[in-house]
Amino acid sequence: MAESGASPLPPTPPAHTPVARAAQFIWLTARVLEQRRFAYHFLGGGADEVETALSAYRNEDDGYGHALEPDLRGPVSQPLHVGHALRVLDSIGRCGGQRVERVCRYLTAVSTQDGALPAILPSQRGYPSAPFVPIVDDPPSELLATGPVVGLLHRNEVWHAWLFRATDFCWQAVESLEKTHPYEVEAAVAFLDSAPDRPRAEEAADRLGRLVREQRLAALDPEDLDAFPVAPGYAPGEHHLPHDYAKTPDSLARAWFTDEEMTRSLDFLRTQQREDGGWPIRWRQWAPGTALEARPIVTIEALRTLRAHGLPIS
């Protein structure tokens, strides 16, 4: 029999485990990038293969496009795509060197006047995108786009001139938050978890955690989700639970929740694996293809969250 050319992987774990059930779903439905990511995180696959798959989404301007973030279609580079790319690189230990230097050049070129990132550039016009992602001519700086990027660069000890003003923007945005929403909180946590000034980050996180509880932005009882409001503009059932904020035990957001609340949240996440082996998406589904592409991403992150918190998955 001819060789397939693919790198050999260890045998998939026993069929009843969450990883094995997810493997069937990934091989059946996922893009090459998510197949490579799944193999890297759970089957002993290599980082080179992940990076090669990711490079297909990179553009000549050193940004990323081509629906890397599934809710933004078309080839054009966008900050949200870049944030997604950096998360992938960080997860495989490759968020540094010349590849990230090129990304920082792109970030510098597309920044707003205050040195931060808009979520969506006007170049997205003419290509399909989610209706909940507005496109405007002069987009403002967004913590949603800037916080995760700045956090990941600091986490990997990347130093670039772009970071100085972008970091200042994130501090100002996080420390002035009042009425907020779950995805903005997630972006704030992504920044605070890696911000260099740890005492300031801990103080800001403590304040943010109080806002999350006061505004009931975390569903603390998965058995009674109807008791917790869904943020305006979100899809029905688009709740956020403690594990959505504290994706790892060492996140500053972990201190916002009791051990009992965190256990309930993780147990709920574990039970959400569907019969086909994948996890569902909770945000608004506006096109069949985007939902199909997003579920493998969500599945990989669910397994990584469970493993990070010490729950058995294989």
Side-chain angles (χ1 to χ4, degrees):
M1 180 180 295
E3 294 291 335
S4 68
S7 302
L9 296 172
T12 301
H16 65 280
T17 66
V19 164
R21 293 171 58 202
Q24 297 301 311
F25 173 74
I26 293 292
W27 300 132
L28 181 64
T29 68
R31 304 181 296 191
V32 172
L33 176 59
E34 281 70 53
Q35 292 179 25
R36 295 299 197 182
R37 291 190 67 207
F38 183 85
Y40 173 84
H41 289 296
F42 307 111
L43 301 176
D48 287 347
E49 290 83 354
V50 177
E51 193 168 359
T52 297
L54 179 63
S55 68
Y57 296 88
R58 190 164 63 85
N59 285 321
E60 290 185 4
D61 61 4
D62 293 317
Y64 288 80
H66 306 280
L68 176 58
E69 178 63 45
D71 280 330
L72 298 178
R73 316 306 291 182
V76 295
S77 298
Q78 292 291 343
L80 290 180
H81 292 313
V82 171
H84 191 122
L86 290 176
R87 283 192 295 274
V88 171
L89 291 170
D90 174 69
S91 73
I92 62 173
R94 297 287 180 87
C95 192
Q98 290 186 355
R99 69 181 68 78
V100 174
E101 178 73 24
R102 291 194 296 266
V103 168
C104 287
R105 287 202 296 267
Y106 167 79
L107 298 175
T108 302
V110 301
S111 291
T112 60
Q113 289 187 348
D114 52 14
L117 296 174
I120 305 294
L121 299 167
S123 56
Q124 185 64 34
R125 279 202 184 93
Y127 300 103
S129 60
F132 47 81
V133 185
I135 303 170
V136 297
D137 288 332
D138 188 18
S141 299
E142 295 276 4
L143 179 61
L144 191 72
T146 312
V149 168
V150 172
L152 282 170
L153 294 177
H154 282 308
R155 169 185 167 93
N156 288 276
E157 300 182 344
V158 173
W159 293 105
H160 188 276
W162 178 80
L163 267 174
F164 291 99
R165 293 182 68 205
T167 299
D168 288 343
F169 167 83
C170 289
W171 280 123
Q172 190 278 330
V174 170
E175 292 174 339
S176 63
L177 283 176
E178 292 298 339
K179 182 66 176 174
T180 184
H181 61 89
Y183 292 116
E184 189 171 52
V185 172
E186 286 186 23
V189 171
F191 167 68
L192 293 173
D193 275 348
S194 300
D197 188 338
R198 300 315 298 155
R200 186 177 181 182
E202 290 167 7
E203 182 178 352
D206 183 64
R207 174 183 173 276
L208 185 59
R210 291 195 299 271
L211 286 179
V212 166
R213 296 189 78 95
E214 290 167 4
Q215 297 177 23
R216 305 186 73 207
L217 299 181
L220 301 177
D221 184 0
E223 299 298 322
D224 190 18
L225 291 176
D226 290 341
F228 297 89
V230 173
Y234 283 29
E238 194 175 351
H239 295 94
H240 282 64
L241 282 80
H243 69 261
D244 291 309
Y245 302 114
K247 292 179 171 60
T248 64
D250 57 356
S251 170
L252 291 173
R254 176 62 184 85
W256 302 350
F257 309 107
T258 67
D259 289 348
E260 182 181 2
E261 288 166 348
M262 202 71 209
T263 297
R264 284 201 301 259
S265 179
L266 292 167
D267 285 344
F268 177 78
L269 176 62
R270 180 177 51 81
T271 63
Q272 288 300 289
Q273 188 172 22
R274 295 298 189 243
E275 186 175 345
D276 63 7
W279 267 260
I281 60 174
R282 300 200 302 270
W283 60 88
R284 195 176 305 280
Q285 301 180 36
W286 61 280
T290 61
L292 185 65
E293 291 178 357
R295 282 193 67 204
I297 299 171
V298 170
T299 296
I300 291 168
E301 295 310 317
L303 289 168
R304 293 184 69 212
T305 297
L306 291 169
R307 182 170 64 185
H309 285 277
L311 275 72
I313 60 172
S314 59

PDB file of all heavy atoms in Angstrom, residues 3-38:
ATOM      1  N   GLU A   3       2.296   4.954   0.775  1.00  0.00           N
ATOM      2  CA  GLU A   3       2.281   5.801   1.955  1.00  0.00           C
ATOM      3  C   GLU A   3       1.342   6.991   1.711  1.00  0.00           C
ATOM      4  O   GLU A   3       1.258   7.531   0.615  1.00  0.00           O
ATOM      5  CB  GLU A   3       3.685   6.309   2.255  1.00  0.00           C
ATOM      6  CG  GLU A   3       4.660   5.206   2.664  1.00  0.00           C
ATOM      7  CD  GLU A   3       4.347   4.624   4.025  1.00  0.00           C
ATOM      8  OE1 GLU A   3       3.721   5.337   4.834  1.00  0.00           O
ATOM      9  OE2 GLU A   3       4.708   3.470   4.280  1.00  0.00           O
ATOM     10  N   SER A   4       0.660   7.404   2.789  1.00  0.00           N
ATOM     11  CA  SER A   4      -0.283   8.519   2.659  1.00  0.00           C
ATOM     12  C   SER A   4       0.420   9.861   2.604  1.00  0.00           C
ATOM     13  O   SER A   4      -0.136  10.844   2.133  1.00  0.00           O
ATOM     14  CB  SER A   4      -1.255   8.515   3.845  1.00  0.00           C
ATOM     15  OG  SER A   4      -0.571   8.831   5.044  1.00  0.00           O
ATOM     16  N   GLY A   5       1.641   9.959   3.161  1.00  0.00           N
ATOM     17  CA  GLY A   5       2.336  11.233   3.223  1.00  0.00           C
ATOM     18  C   GLY A   5       2.061  12.003   4.493  1.00  0.00           C
ATOM     19  O   GLY A   5       2.767  12.950   4.819  1.00  0.00           O
ATOM     20  N   ALA A   6       1.030  11.626   5.237  1.00  0.00           N
ATOM     21  CA  ALA A   6       0.720  12.309   6.489  1.00  0.00           C
ATOM     22  C   ALA A   6       1.573  11.755   7.614  1.00  0.00           C
ATOM     23  O   ALA A   6       1.947  10.585   7.608  1.00  0.00           O
ATOM     24  CB  ALA A   6      -0.766  12.141   6.828  1.00  0.00           C
ATOM     25  N   SER A   7       1.891  12.606   8.595  1.00  0.00           N
ATOM     26  CA  SER A   7       2.670  12.147   9.736  1.00  0.00           C
ATOM     27  C   SER A   7       1.863  11.148  10.544  1.00  0.00           C
ATOM     28  O   SER A   7       0.675  11.374  10.818  1.00  0.00           O
ATOM     29  CB  SER A   7       3.041  13.343  10.623  1.00  0.00           C
ATOM     30  OG  SER A   7       3.773  14.297   9.896  1.00  0.00           O
ATOM     31  N   PRO A   8       2.471  10.035  10.970  1.00  0.00           N
ATOM     32  CA  PRO A   8       1.726   9.064  11.766  1.00  0.00           C
ATOM     33  C   PRO A   8       1.390   9.630  13.135  1.00  0.00           C
ATOM     34  O   PRO A   8       2.161  10.392  13.719  1.00  0.00           O
ATOM     35  CB  PRO A   8       2.715   7.892  11.888  1.00  0.00           C
ATOM     36  CG  PRO A   8       4.060   8.505  11.693  1.00  0.00           C
ATOM     37  CD  PRO A   8       3.863   9.625  10.720  1.00  0.00           C
ATOM     38  N   LEU A   9       0.213   9.280  13.631  1.00  0.00           N
ATOM     39  CA  LEU A   9      -0.244   9.736  14.932  1.00  0.00           C
ATOM     40  C   LEU A   9      -0.482   8.544  15.837  1.00  0.00           C
ATOM     41  O   LEU A   9      -0.753   7.437  15.363  1.00  0.00           O
ATOM     42  CB  LEU A   9      -1.547  10.535  14.794  1.00  0.00           C
ATOM     43  CG  LEU A   9      -1.457  11.837  13.996  1.00  0.00           C
ATOM     44  CD1 LEU A   9      -2.853  12.400  13.780  1.00  0.00           C
ATOM     45  CD2 LEU A   9      -0.577  12.848  14.709  1.00  0.00           C
ATOM     46  N   PRO A  10      -0.412   8.750  17.160  1.00  0.00           N
ATOM     47  CA  PRO A  10      -0.726   7.658  18.076  1.00  0.00           C
ATOM     48  C   PRO A  10      -2.165   7.195  17.893  1.00  0.00           C
ATOM     49  O   PRO A  10      -3.008   7.942  17.384  1.00  0.00           O
ATOM     50  CB  PRO A  10      -0.524   8.295  19.462  1.00  0.00           C
ATOM     51  CG  PRO A  10       0.315   9.508  19.223  1.00  0.00           C
ATOM     52  CD  PRO A  10      -0.032   9.971  17.848  1.00  0.00           C
ATOM     53  N   PRO A  11      -2.483   5.963  18.306  1.00  0.00           N
ATOM     54  CA  PRO A  11      -3.856   5.494  18.202  1.00  0.00           C
ATOM     55  C   PRO A  11      -4.809   6.392  18.977  1.00  0.00           C
ATOM     56  O   PRO A  11      -4.453   6.941  20.019  1.00  0.00           O
ATOM     57  CB  PRO A  11      -3.798   4.089  18.833  1.00  0.00           C
ATOM     58  CG  PRO A  11      -2.363   3.694  18.786  1.00  0.00           C
ATOM     59  CD  PRO A  11      -1.580   4.968  18.880  1.00  0.00           C
ATOM     60  N   THR A  12      -6.005   6.579  18.441  1.00  0.00           N
ATOM     61  CA  THR A  12      -7.015   7.351  19.151  1.00  0.00           C
ATOM     62  C   THR A  12      -7.393   6.625  20.432  1.00  0.00           C
ATOM     63  O   THR A  12      -7.490   5.401  20.445  1.00  0.00           O
ATOM     64  CB  THR A  12      -8.263   7.515  18.255  1.00  0.00           C
ATOM     65  OG1 THR A  12      -7.864   8.169  17.048  1.00  0.00           O
ATOM     66  CG2 THR A  12      -9.326   8.348  18.942  1.00  0.00           C
ATOM     67  N   PRO A  13      -7.622   7.356  21.552  1.00  0.00           N
ATOM     68  CA  PRO A  13      -7.988   6.714  22.818  1.00  0.00           C
ATOM     69  C   PRO A  13      -9.277   5.911  22.692  1.00  0.00           C
ATOM     70  O   PRO A  13     -10.004   6.020  21.696  1.00  0.00           O
ATOM     71  CB  PRO A  13      -8.166   7.911  23.761  1.00  0.00           C
ATOM     72  CG  PRO A  13      -7.360   9.001  23.154  1.00  0.00           C
ATOM     73  CD  PRO A  13      -7.464   8.791  21.670  1.00  0.00           C
ATOM     74  N   PRO A  14      -9.586   5.087  23.706  1.00  0.00           N
ATOM     75  CA  PRO A  14     -10.797   4.264  23.674  1.00  0.00           C
ATOM     76  C   PRO A  14     -12.045   5.069  23.323  1.00  0.00           C
ATOM     77  O   PRO A  14     -12.167   6.237  23.694  1.00  0.00           O
ATOM     78  CB  PRO A  14     -10.874   3.706  25.103  1.00  0.00           C
ATOM     79  CG  PRO A  14      -9.453   3.689  25.570  1.00  0.00           C
ATOM     80  CD  PRO A  14      -8.795   4.882  24.920  1.00  0.00           C
ATOM     81  N   ALA A  15     -12.954   4.415  22.615  1.00  0.00           N
ATOM     82  CA  ALA A  15     -14.062   5.120  21.965  1.00  0.00           C
ATOM     83  C   ALA A  15     -14.989   5.847  22.928  1.00  0.00           C
ATOM     84  O   ALA A  15     -15.700   6.753  22.517  1.00  0.00           O
ATOM     85  CB  ALA A  15     -14.872   4.140  21.118  1.00  0.00           C
ATOM     86  N   HIS A  16     -14.994   5.490  24.194  1.00  0.00           N
ATOM     87  CA  HIS A  16     -15.939   6.127  25.107  1.00  0.00           C
ATOM     88  C   HIS A  16     -15.420   7.438  25.684  1.00  0.00           C
ATOM     89  O   HIS A  16     -16.165   8.149  26.357  1.00  0.00           O
ATOM     90  CB  HIS A  16     -16.265   5.179  26.267  1.00  0.00           C
ATOM     91  CG  HIS A  16     -15.087   4.884  27.150  1.00  0.00           C
ATOM     92  ND1 HIS A  16     -14.123   3.967  26.804  1.00  0.00           N
ATOM     93  CD2 HIS A  16     -14.702   5.418  28.344  1.00  0.00           C
ATOM     94  CE1 HIS A  16     -13.204   3.927  27.769  1.00  0.00           C
ATOM     95  NE2 HIS A  16     -13.524   4.796  28.695  1.00  0.00           N
ATOM     96  N   THR A  17     -14.155   7.778  25.459  1.00  0.00           N
ATOM     97  CA  THR A  17     -13.594   8.981  26.057  1.00  0.00           C
ATOM     98  C   THR A  17     -14.011  10.228  25.283  1.00  0.00           C
ATOM     99  O   THR A  17     -14.294  10.164  24.082  1.00  0.00           O
ATOM    100  CB  THR A  17     -12.055   8.911  26.088  1.00  0.00           C
ATOM    101  OG1 THR A  17     -11.564   8.927  24.746  1.00  0.00           O
ATOM    102  CG2 THR A  17     -11.569   7.652  26.806  1.00  0.00           C
ATOM    103  N   PRO A  18     -14.040  11.381  25.971  1.00  0.00           N
ATOM    104  CA  PRO A  18     -14.393  12.617  25.258  1.00  0.00           C
ATOM    105  C   PRO A  18     -13.491  12.920  24.068  1.00  0.00           C
ATOM    106  O   PRO A  18     -13.967  13.367  23.022  1.00  0.00           O
ATOM    107  CB  PRO A  18     -14.255  13.681  26.353  1.00  0.00           C
ATOM    108  CG  PRO A  18     -14.525  12.962  27.626  1.00  0.00           C
ATOM    109  CD  PRO A  18     -13.935  11.590  27.430  1.00  0.00           C
ATOM    110  N   VAL A  19     -12.188  12.656  24.201  1.00  0.00           N
ATOM    111  CA  VAL A  19     -11.280  12.931  23.088  1.00  0.00           C
ATOM    112  C   VAL A  19     -11.580  12.028  21.901  1.00  0.00           C
ATOM    113  O   VAL A  19     -11.602  12.480  20.746  1.00  0.00           O
ATOM    114  CB  VAL A  19      -9.811  12.779  23.527  1.00  0.00           C
ATOM    115  CG1 VAL A  19      -8.887  12.670  22.318  1.00  0.00           C
ATOM    116  CG2 VAL A  19      -9.386  13.964  24.380  1.00  0.00           C
ATOM    117  N   ALA A  20     -11.812  10.753  22.154  1.00  0.00           N
ATOM    118  CA  ALA A  20     -12.084   9.831  21.051  1.00  0.00           C
ATOM    119  C   ALA A  20     -13.394  10.169  20.357  1.00  0.00           C
ATOM    120  O   ALA A  20     -13.486  10.126  19.126  1.00  0.00           O
ATOM    121  CB  ALA A  20     -12.119   8.400  21.572  1.00  0.00           C
ATOM    122  N   ARG A  21     -14.406  10.525  21.130  1.00  0.00           N
ATOM    123  CA  ARG A  21     -15.677  10.917  20.525  1.00  0.00           C
ATOM    124  C   ARG A  21     -15.501  12.191  19.708  1.00  0.00           C
ATOM    125  O   ARG A  21     -16.058  12.328  18.612  1.00  0.00           O
ATOM    126  CB  ARG A  21     -16.732  11.113  21.607  1.00  0.00           C
ATOM    127  CG  ARG A  21     -17.124   9.824  22.332  1.00  0.00           C
ATOM    128  CD  ARG A  21     -18.011  10.119  23.523  1.00  0.00           C
ATOM    129  NE  ARG A  21     -19.208  10.832  23.111  1.00  0.00           N
ATOM    130  CZ  ARG A  21     -19.949  11.584  23.941  1.00  0.00           C
ATOM    131  NH1 ARG A  21     -19.572  11.754  25.194  1.00  0.00           N
ATOM    132  NH2 ARG A  21     -21.032  12.178  23.499  1.00  0.00           N
ATOM    133  N   ALA A  22     -14.703  13.128  20.230  1.00  0.00           N
ATOM    134  CA  ALA A  22     -14.448  14.363  19.496  1.00  0.00           C
ATOM    135  C   ALA A  22     -13.644  14.102  18.228  1.00  0.00           C
ATOM    136  O   ALA A  22     -13.837  14.782  17.217  1.00  0.00           O
ATOM    137  CB  ALA A  22     -13.712  15.360  20.393  1.00  0.00           C
ATOM    138  N   ALA A  23     -12.743  13.114  18.270  1.00  0.00           N
ATOM    139  CA  ALA A  23     -11.918  12.819  17.099  1.00  0.00           C
ATOM    140  C   ALA A  23     -12.776  12.464  15.896  1.00  0.00           C
ATOM    141  O   ALA A  23     -12.519  12.915  14.773  1.00  0.00           O
ATOM    142  CB  ALA A  23     -10.946  11.687  17.414  1.00  0.00           C
ATOM    143  N   GLN A  24     -13.787  11.666  16.110  1.00  0.00           N
ATOM    144  CA  GLN A  24     -14.667  11.300  15.006  1.00  0.00           C
ATOM    145  C   GLN A  24     -15.327  12.529  14.403  1.00  0.00           C
ATOM    146  O   GLN A  24     -15.444  12.660  13.183  1.00  0.00           O
ATOM    147  CB  GLN A  24     -15.736  10.312  15.503  1.00  0.00           C
ATOM    148  CG  GLN A  24     -15.170   8.993  16.002  1.00  0.00           C
ATOM    149  CD  GLN A  24     -14.377   8.273  14.937  1.00  0.00           C
ATOM    150  OE1 GLN A  24     -14.844   8.107  13.807  1.00  0.00           O
ATOM    151  NE2 GLN A  24     -13.165   7.845  15.278  1.00  0.00           N
ATOM    152  N   PHE A  25     -15.745  13.450  15.276  1.00  0.00           N
ATOM    153  CA  PHE A  25     -16.376  14.681  14.814  1.00  0.00           C
ATOM    154  C   PHE A  25     -15.382  15.551  14.048  1.00  0.00           C
ATOM    155  O   PHE A  25     -15.701  16.101  12.988  1.00  0.00           O
ATOM    156  CB  PHE A  25     -16.932  15.438  16.022  1.00  0.00           C
ATOM    157  CG  PHE A  25     -17.461  16.806  15.700  1.00  0.00           C
ATOM    158  CD1 PHE A  25     -18.671  16.960  15.042  1.00  0.00           C
ATOM    159  CD2 PHE A  25     -16.750  17.943  16.056  1.00  0.00           C
ATOM    160  CE1 PHE A  25     -19.165  18.215  14.733  1.00  0.00           C
ATOM    161  CE2 PHE A  25     -17.231  19.200  15.755  1.00  0.00           C
ATOM    162  CZ  PHE A  25     -18.438  19.338  15.099  1.00  0.00           C
ATOM    163  N   ILE A  26     -14.168  15.668  14.566  1.00  0.00           N
ATOM    164  CA  ILE A  26     -13.145  16.505  13.925  1.00  0.00           C
ATOM    165  C   ILE A  26     -12.791  15.972  12.546  1.00  0.00           C
ATOM    166  O   ILE A  26     -12.760  16.708  11.556  1.00  0.00           O
ATOM    167  CB  ILE A  26     -11.890  16.591  14.809  1.00  0.00           C
ATOM    168  CG1 ILE A  26     -12.181  17.354  16.111  1.00  0.00           C
ATOM    169  CG2 ILE A  26     -10.727  17.228  14.044  1.00  0.00           C
ATOM    170  CD1 ILE A  26     -12.468  18.822  15.935  1.00  0.00           C
ATOM    171  N   TRP A  27     -12.511  14.675  12.441  1.00  0.00           N
ATOM    172  CA  TRP A  27     -12.124  14.113  11.143  1.00  0.00           C
ATOM    173  C   TRP A  27     -13.277  14.202  10.143  1.00  0.00           C
ATOM    174  O   TRP A  27     -13.054  14.300   8.930  1.00  0.00           O
ATOM    175  CB  TRP A  27     -11.676  12.667  11.285  1.00  0.00           C
ATOM    176  CG  TRP A  27     -10.500  12.455  12.189  1.00  0.00           C
ATOM    177  CD1 TRP A  27     -10.393  11.516  13.181  1.00  0.00           C
ATOM    178  CD2 TRP A  27      -9.250  13.162  12.208  1.00  0.00           C
ATOM    179  NE1 TRP A  27      -9.170  11.615  13.808  1.00  0.00           N
ATOM    180  CE2 TRP A  27      -8.444  12.607  13.224  1.00  0.00           C
ATOM    181  CE3 TRP A  27      -8.732  14.219  11.450  1.00  0.00           C
ATOM    182  CZ2 TRP A  27      -7.168  13.069  13.512  1.00  0.00           C
ATOM    183  CZ3 TRP A  27      -7.455  14.689  11.748  1.00  0.00           C
ATOM    184  CH2 TRP A  27      -6.685  14.114  12.765  1.00  0.00           C
ATOM    185  N   LEU A  28     -14.488  14.198  10.639  1.00  0.00           N
ATOM    186  CA  LEU A  28     -15.646  14.233   9.743  1.00  0.00           C
ATOM    187  C   LEU A  28     -15.954  15.644   9.245  1.00  0.00           C
ATOM    188  O   LEU A  28     -16.371  15.825   8.101  1.00  0.00           O
ATOM    189  CB  LEU A  28     -16.874  13.664  10.459  1.00  0.00           C
ATOM    190  CG  LEU A  28     -18.177  13.609   9.661  1.00  0.00           C
ATOM    191  CD1 LEU A  28     -18.048  12.663   8.469  1.00  0.00           C
ATOM    192  CD2 LEU A  28     -19.326  13.171  10.570  1.00  0.00           C
ATOM    193  N   THR A  29     -15.735  16.671  10.085  1.00  0.00           N
ATOM    194  CA  THR A  29     -16.283  17.998   9.785  1.00  0.00           C
ATOM    195  C   THR A  29     -15.280  19.135   9.723  1.00  0.00           C
ATOM    196  O   THR A  29     -15.576  20.183   9.140  1.00  0.00           O
ATOM    197  CB  THR A  29     -17.341  18.397  10.830  1.00  0.00           C
ATOM    198  OG1 THR A  29     -16.698  18.597  12.103  1.00  0.00           O
ATOM    199  CG2 THR A  29     -18.410  17.320  10.980  1.00  0.00           C
ATOM    200  N   ALA A  30     -14.095  18.998  10.307  1.00  0.00           N
ATOM    201  CA  ALA A  30     -13.236  20.160  10.550  1.00  0.00           C
ATOM    202  C   ALA A  30     -12.402  20.553   9.332  1.00  0.00           C
ATOM    203  O   ALA A  30     -12.083  19.729   8.470  1.00  0.00           O
ATOM    204  CB  ALA A  30     -12.310  19.895  11.733  1.00  0.00           C
ATOM    205  N   ARG A  31     -12.017  21.831   9.310  1.00  0.00           N
ATOM    206  CA  ARG A  31     -11.035  22.311   8.358  1.00  0.00           C
ATOM    207  C   ARG A  31      -9.680  21.682   8.678  1.00  0.00           C
ATOM    208  O   ARG A  31      -9.456  21.165   9.772  1.00  0.00           O
ATOM    209  CB  ARG A  31     -10.920  23.839   8.447  1.00  0.00           C
ATOM    210  CG  ARG A  31     -12.218  24.575   8.255  1.00  0.00           C
ATOM    211  CD  ARG A  31     -12.027  26.099   8.333  1.00  0.00           C
ATOM    212  NE  ARG A  31     -11.579  26.577   9.633  1.00  0.00           N
ATOM    213  CZ  ARG A  31     -11.548  27.862   9.987  1.00  0.00           C
ATOM    214  NH1 ARG A  31     -11.943  28.795   9.118  1.00  0.00           N
ATOM    215  NH2 ARG A  31     -11.130  28.228  11.184  1.00  0.00           N
ATOM    216  N   VAL A  32      -8.759  21.776   7.724  1.00  0.00           N
ATOM    217  CA  VAL A  32      -7.423  21.217   7.947  1.00  0.00           C
ATOM    218  C   VAL A  32      -6.769  21.841   9.181  1.00  0.00           C
ATOM    219  O   VAL A  32      -6.121  21.143   9.969  1.00  0.00           O
ATOM    220  CB  VAL A  32      -6.535  21.424   6.702  1.00  0.00           C
ATOM    221  CG1 VAL A  32      -5.090  21.027   6.997  1.00  0.00           C
ATOM    222  CG2 VAL A  32      -7.077  20.630   5.523  1.00  0.00           C
ATOM    223  N   LEU A  33      -6.938  23.139   9.375  1.00  0.00           N
ATOM    224  CA  LEU A  33      -6.321  23.791  10.530  1.00  0.00           C
ATOM    225  C   LEU A  33      -6.781  23.152  11.831  1.00  0.00           C
ATOM    226  O   LEU A  33      -5.962  22.856  12.711  1.00  0.00           O
ATOM    227  CB  LEU A  33      -6.639  25.287  10.530  1.00  0.00           C
ATOM    228  CG  LEU A  33      -6.136  26.070  11.747  1.00  0.00           C
ATOM    229  CD1 LEU A  33      -4.620  25.956  11.887  1.00  0.00           C
ATOM    230  CD2 LEU A  33      -6.574  27.531  11.664  1.00  0.00           C
ATOM    231  N   GLU A  34      -8.091  22.956  11.984  1.00  0.00           N
ATOM    232  CA  GLU A  34      -8.584  22.366  13.233  1.00  0.00           C
ATOM    233  C   GLU A  34      -8.206  20.887  13.340  1.00  0.00           C
ATOM    234  O   GLU A  34      -7.981  20.381  14.451  1.00  0.00           O
ATOM    235  CB  GLU A  34     -10.095  22.548  13.349  1.00  0.00           C
ATOM    236  CG  GLU A  34     -10.513  23.940  13.802  1.00  0.00           C
ATOM    237  CD  GLU A  34     -10.264  25.006  12.745  1.00  0.00           C
ATOM    238  OE1 GLU A  34     -10.719  24.832  11.588  1.00  0.00           O
ATOM    239  OE2 GLU A  34      -9.586  26.025  13.056  1.00  0.00           O
ATOM    240  N   GLN A  35      -8.119  20.190  12.211  1.00  0.00           N
ATOM    241  CA  GLN A  35      -7.618  18.812  12.271  1.00  0.00           C
ATOM    242  C   GLN A  35      -6.193  18.784  12.809  1.00  0.00           C
ATOM    243  O   GLN A  35      -5.842  17.959  13.667  1.00  0.00           O
ATOM    244  CB  GLN A  35      -7.668  18.173  10.886  1.00  0.00           C
ATOM    245  CG  GLN A  35      -9.070  17.921  10.366  1.00  0.00           C
ATOM    246  CD  GLN A  35      -9.055  17.300   8.973  1.00  0.00           C
ATOM    247  OE1 GLN A  35      -8.096  16.647   8.584  1.00  0.00           O
ATOM    248  NE2 GLN A  35     -10.128  17.512   8.225  1.00  0.00           N
ATOM    249  N   ARG A  36      -5.346  19.689  12.314  1.00  0.00           N
ATOM    250  CA  ARG A  36      -3.958  19.755  12.770  1.00  0.00           C
ATOM    251  C   ARG A  36      -3.882  20.180  14.234  1.00  0.00           C
ATOM    252  O   ARG A  36      -3.050  19.676  15.007  1.00  0.00           O
ATOM    253  CB  ARG A  36      -3.160  20.720  11.895  1.00  0.00           C
ATOM    254  CG  ARG A  36      -3.001  20.292  10.443  1.00  0.00           C
ATOM    255  CD  ARG A  36      -2.275  18.968  10.325  1.00  0.00           C
ATOM    256  NE  ARG A  36      -1.766  18.747   8.970  1.00  0.00           N
ATOM    257  CZ  ARG A  36      -1.134  17.654   8.578  1.00  0.00           C
ATOM    258  NH1 ARG A  36      -0.941  16.662   9.433  1.00  0.00           N
ATOM    259  NH2 ARG A  36      -0.686  17.526   7.339  1.00  0.00           N
ATOM    260  N   ARG A  37      -4.725  21.130  14.626  1.00  0.00           N
ATOM    261  CA  ARG A  37      -4.727  21.573  16.026  1.00  0.00           C
ATOM    262  C   ARG A  37      -5.165  20.439  16.948  1.00  0.00           C
ATOM    263  O   ARG A  37      -4.574  20.238  18.016  1.00  0.00           O
ATOM    264  CB  ARG A  37      -5.661  22.771  16.213  1.00  0.00           C
ATOM    265  CG  ARG A  37      -5.188  24.056  15.558  1.00  0.00           C
ATOM    266  CD  ARG A  37      -6.057  25.212  16.017  1.00  0.00           C
ATOM    267  NE  ARG A  37      -5.854  25.461  17.432  1.00  0.00           N
ATOM    268  CZ  ARG A  37      -6.773  25.999  18.230  1.00  0.00           C
ATOM    269  NH1 ARG A  37      -7.972  26.331  17.750  1.00  0.00           N
ATOM    270  NH2 ARG A  37      -6.516  26.199  19.511  1.00  0.00           N
ATOM    271  N   PHE A  38      -6.192  19.729  16.563  1.00  0.00           N
ATOM    272  CA  PHE A  38      -6.662  18.611  17.382  1.00  0.00           C
ATOM    273  C   PHE A  38      -5.554  17.573  17.534  1.00  0.00           C
ATOM    274  O   PHE A  38      -5.295  17.070  18.634  1.00  0.00           O
ATOM    275  CB  PHE A  38      -7.906  17.980  16.745  1.00  0.00           C
ATOM    276  CG  PHE A  38      -8.496  16.867  17.560  1.00  0.00           C
ATOM    277  CD1 PHE A  38      -9.385  17.134  18.587  1.00  0.00           C
ATOM    278  CD2 PHE A  38      -8.160  15.542  17.300  1.00  0.00           C
ATOM    279  CE1 PHE A  38      -9.929  16.110  19.349  1.00  0.00           C
ATOM    280  CE2 PHE A  38      -8.698  14.513  18.055  1.00  0.00           C
ATOM    281  CZ  PHE A  38      -9.580  14.794  19.076  1.00  0.00           C
TER     282      PHE A  38
END
